[in-house]
Amino acid sequence: MATLIFGLGYIGAALASELRRSGRSVVGVDNGFATDWPALERLGDGPGGRFRLLRGDVRQAPDVTAAFLAAGTGEEGVDAVYLLAAQASAHATAAPAEYTEETNLRGPRLVFEAALRHGSPPVVYGSSFHVYGPQPGGEMDENHPYGPLRDLAHLSKVYAEKLGEMYATTRGLTVVPVRLGIVYGLGPVIKRDLRFVTVPHAFCLRALAGEPLPIQSGGLAPLPFIHLPDAVGALRLAAESSSAGGYLPANAVSEVATAVDVARLVQQAAWAAGRDAVLRFHTPQPAAPPAVTPLVVRSRLEGVGWRPEGRLATEVPSIWTHYALPGGAG
Ligand SMILES: NC(=O)c1ccc[n+]([C@@H]2O[C@H](COP(=O)([O-])OP(=O)(O)OC[C@H]3O[C@@H](n4cnc5c(N)ncnc54)[C@H](O)[C@@H]3O)[C@@H](O)[C@H]2O)c1
């Protein structure tokens, strides 16, 4: 049996490495849109299960079919599909809107259709906690309603989730959207382009470049975070615990912090290295902290043994050190 991963970016590459390390055979597909190809070729290095890298595009039905055929058919078929290929950036210059639509809307449909034709393995979809809107608050489990969306990359998550629900209810496919918080930490693919990294990485890169850390008006609002190995663990557990079938969304958030909290951690890492980092507030700071509804995230994965361990306080210094190495900040 092989595991098929569409999208070997920041998260997909870490998942592929982890699956290989545990002896699994992995077929990975990417079109090189946002990830350097040499980094992907190195994913097959070292001991572990077999790794096969395919250049393919989720917008193209023949590429999607070829990926399933490469991963195997019948008894030797695909045990699980992870759909992590996406135009994931909300940044206005990351990609033309058409590219985001074709990859993030058409891609999932082609993958769900192909999964149905190749033995109906469970499809774990890389969704986002952002489906609940930009300002989550209160106690939130998977039944919380969708919130307002402000960019195509995140809006497409709602479409793909509902598409997965449609394929689950009308065609019997198992679809598991994992609503990931903001992922941070080191892995086999580390981005340096500010359009494609999350806030802990962006703040480290800015501080190393001598730039202030921008704090927008929502700087004291609670944000959902998850360390990369915990995100990989959640994706794997989501697949392994999907035997009930159907549409099975799952939250994956391990820690709540504000942008100011993250900036302060980066500042401490800078100070420890004999550097400085300055926070720049883009709106005047209120005399008293604003009333913010605390965020508490519940995940159904906790019921099947998910125990995330990573903490921003311990991982931000590692991210700083990585980018501070010669060539690290790109
Ligand atoms: N990183 C996070 O904090 C985070 C948080 C929530 C959800 N997610 C979601 O998880 C998934 C993976 O995120 P990531 O951080 O690894 O992003 P990423 O950009 O690093 O990885 C996406 C990969 O998809 C590839 N890709 C893009 N268009 C493609 C296409 N048409 N065909 C084939 N491959 C294509 C890119 O080259 C890239 O390697 C995305 O759907 C993202 O929205 C990420």
Side-chain angles (χ1 to χ4, degrees):
M1 293 289 258
T3 304
L4 180 54
I5 304 176
F6 289 97
L8 293 168
Y10 174 56
I11 300 171
L15 174 66
S17 294
E18 194 51 39
L19 287 168
R20 273 198 70 236
R21 244 197 304 274
S22 61
R24 304 283 271 277
S25 183
V26 176
V27 173
V29 188
D30 203 286
N31 70 346
F33 166 75
T35 304
D36 287 341
W37 203 253
L40 301 187
E41 286 172 333
R42 286 194 294 275
L43 289 175
D45 294 351
R50 184 164 182 255
F51 176 69
R52 190 155 167 212
L53 174 62
L54 299 180
R55 194 180 280 275
D57 197 311
V58 293
R59 296 172 298 168
Q60 307 295 337
D63 288 7
V64 174
T65 300
F68 275 88
L69 291 175
T73 50
E75 278 295 294
E76 294 302 309
V78 178
D79 60 354
V81 177
Y82 294 91
L83 175 50
L84 299 166
Q87 196 303 93
S89 173
H91 198 282
T93 67
E98 290 74 14
Y99 184 84
T100 305
E101 288 167 350
E102 287 170 16
T103 298
N104 296 8
L105 307 183
R106 178 177 157 83
R109 179 174 61 78
L110 295 180
V111 171
F112 295 149
E113 289 281 355
L116 283 166
R117 292 196 307 273
H118 293 87
S120 296
V123 182
V124 176
Y125 171 63
S127 189
S128 169
F129 199 77
H130 227 88
V131 296
Y132 300 119
Q135 289 174 331
E139 189 166 326
M140 297 171 70
D141 66 11
E142 289 84 359
N143 294 316
H144 196 90
Y146 293 130
L149 283 307
R150 294 180 177 170
D151 63 89
L152 282 183
H154 289 108
L155 176 60
S156 65
K157 299 295 177 202
V158 174
Y159 173 83
E161 285 201 359
K162 295 303 283 183
L163 186 76
E165 184 182 48
M166 185 183 93
Y167 276 91
T169 52
T170 62
R171 311 278 296 276
L173 189 64
T174 299
V175 179
V176 192
V178 178
R179 296 171 180 160
L180 298 161
I182 300 164
V183 188
Y184 66 91
L186 302 180
V189 164
I190 309 282
K191 309 272 170 94
R192 295 178 173 81
D193 183 330
L194 288 180
R195 296 171 303 169
F196 294 103
V197 298
T198 56
V199 63
H201 293 243
F203 279 177
C204 287
L205 285 163
R206 283 188 188 279
L208 281 158
E211 296 172 15
L213 313 184
I215 307 292
Q216 310 298 343
S217 57
L220 291 172
L223 297 172
F225 287 92
I226 180 166
H227 187 217
L228 180 58
D230 292 326
V232 166
L235 290 164
R236 288 190 66 175
L237 196 55
E240 288 158 12
S241 62
S242 66
S243 57
Y247 174 70
L248 304 165
N251 291 333
V253 168
S254 55
E255 186 176 7
V256 173
T258 68
V260 171
D261 293 334
V262 176
R264 297 272 182 234
L265 289 172
V266 171
Q267 196 173 45
Q268 284 163 21
W271 289 340
R275 302 276 302 255
D276 198 7
V278 177
L279 281 58
R280 178 176 290 165
F281 290 86
H282 285 257
T283 46
Q285 282 299 285
V292 172
T293 312
L295 170 62
V296 179
V297 181
R298 304 281 177 224
S299 171
R300 67 168 184 82
L301 293 177
E302 287 158 15
V304 287
W306 185 55
R307 299 284 179 271
E309 291 175 350
R311 307 292 298 173
L312 281 159
T314 46
E315 301 306 328
V316 165
S318 310
I319 300 170
W320 171 276
T321 303
H322 172 83
Y323 287 130
L325 288 170

